[in-house]
Amino acid sequence: GLVDTLARARDVSARPGRRVDQPRSGLASRRLRSDTAAMNIFRFFGDMTHLCSILVLLLKINATKSCAGVSLKTQELYLLVFVTRYLDLFYSFISLYNTCMKLIFIGSSGCIIWYMRKHRVVSQTYDAEQDTFRVVFLVAPSMLLAMLINHEFSFTEVLWTFSIYLEAVAILPQLVLLQRTKNVDTLTGNYVFLLGGYRALYLLNWIYRFLTEPGYRQWIVWVSGVVQTAVYCDFFYYYLKSWHKNEKLQLPS
């Protein structure tokens, strides 16, 4: 049932794991015990909200044959986030749920990018002239910070930390694009709202784990998650305002 599924599942944004029979240091052992703790309802619905956001975006692109209002730069940043975070797919197995979610996030990001770059019809609707955010100012500081502030200076750990920092700001090109275009279609607005909602649910997950799991501490994840949620606050305000007034979503320039 659902309870058994939640108990077996693992946080898909957790640090790279190790097999139970593989030797590991005391620090790595403590991390593994923390990362493989039983899933709670906030984490599960956070994952489902994240998945729904991707499905909404794919639905928009496939149904309308248009990617107008969607930032290719944000989608490429998310693919970079997932690829660098889920390197443990090559050497560690946690659960079928965990593996499937990681593959879905990587595959769906690649699919969206393919639509926007290669699809004969959809690619013609991409507005490259408006989607001009210089992502180097997000990628470079995230990598530098990951090399300076991490749990362990190793290849996979630094890349995992980089993915956490980068995810916190990866939505910025999308938000800037929406501000430039001002009028936001319903599906694109729902996509961004669900994406922000997923991170807000993860904040509740961390609070719950802090209150129920002795010794649970993940400062890098917590601070990055708070920053990421704060980035969405302005969008949340205008989204809920438009929903309350039953008006089309418009963002100030």
Side-chain angles (χ1 to χ4, degrees):
L2 176 60
V3 175
D4 293 333
T5 301
L6 296 181
R8 289 194 302 268
R10 175 181 180 261
D11 182 355
V12 297
S13 69
R15 285 191 293 278
R18 304 181 187 219
R19 297 189 63 87
V20 175
D21 57 353
Q22 182 178 348
R24 53 185 176 267
S25 66
L27 175 60
S29 179
R30 289 194 296 273
R31 289 176 183 173
L32 180 60
R33 287 197 297 269
S34 174
D35 291 343
T36 57
M39 177 175 278
N40 60 67
I41 199 70
F42 301 113
R43 182 190 296 177
F44 177 75
F45 280 107
D47 287 346
M48 293 302 102
T49 303
H50 193 182
L51 183 60
C52 284
S53 72
I54 295 172
L55 292 177
V56 165
L57 183 56
L58 283 171
L59 174 64
K60 165 197 164 62
I61 293 174
N62 187 61
T64 66
K65 293 298 184 290
S66 170
C67 63
V70 180
S71 170
L72 176 61
K73 293 182 182 295
T74 282
Q75 298 307 316
E76 290 174 338
L77 288 176
Y78 276 127
L79 180 59
L80 181 59
V81 165
F82 297 140
V83 169
T84 53
R85 181 175 301 172
Y86 301 146
L87 291 175
D88 60 331
L89 283 170
F90 292 105
Y91 59 82
S92 177
F93 177 81
I94 304 301
S95 68
L96 181 61
Y97 169 90
N98 179 262
T99 299
C100 287
M101 291 297 284
K102 291 176 179 179
L103 292 175
I104 288 172
F105 290 145
I106 294 173
S108 59
S109 295
C111 181
I112 292 168
I113 292 170
W114 178 85
Y115 264 113
M116 297 183 70
R117 284 191 172 276
K118 300 296 183 181
H119 191 277
R120 181 172 56 86
V121 177
V122 175
S123 62
Q124 300 300 314
T125 64
Y126 170 57
D127 190 356
E129 293 183 359
Q130 295 288 342
D131 190 21
T132 57
F133 194 102
R134 300 181 67 179
V135 295
V136 66
F137 292 117
L138 302 179
V139 175
S142 296
M143 178 56 73
L144 179 61
L145 194 59
M147 296 180 69
L148 295 175
I149 304 176
N150 53 68
H151 293 284
E152 180 182 285
F153 194 77
S154 64
F155 179 74
T156 55
E157 185 70 22
V158 168
L159 286 182
W160 176 87
T161 308
F162 164 73
S163 77
I164 296 298
Y165 294 147
L166 183 59
E167 185 184 14
V169 294
I171 195 64
L172 285 176
Q174 178 64 68
L175 294 178
V176 170
L177 178 61
L178 293 181
Q179 286 183 321
R180 287 175 177 173
T181 56
K182 295 185 179 181
N183 291 323
V184 184
D185 68 80
T186 301
L187 288 177
T188 303
N190 290 342
Y191 160 70
V192 177
F193 181 78
L194 288 169
L195 204 55
Y198 128 75
R199 183 47 71 186
L201 284 167
Y202 259 65
L203 289 181
L204 296 177
N205 158 58
W206 298 327
I207 293 172
Y208 176 83
R209 292 187 64 183
F210 176 77
L211 296 175
T212 59
E213 297 180 24
Y216 173 66
R217 301 289 188 276
Q218 284 191 326
W219 292 107
I220 289 176
V221 174
W222 294 348
V223 173
S224 299
V226 170
V227 170
Q228 184 176 355
T229 306
V231 168
Y232 285 92
C233 285
D234 188 60
F235 177 86
F236 284 160
Y237 170 77
Y238 288 102
Y239 180 93
L240 294 174
K241 181 180 178 181
S242 67
W243 176 79
H244 179 70
K245 294 184 176 181
N246 196 28
E247 298 175 345
K248 187 173 182 180
L249 176 60
Q250 294 186 357
L251 299 179
S253 56

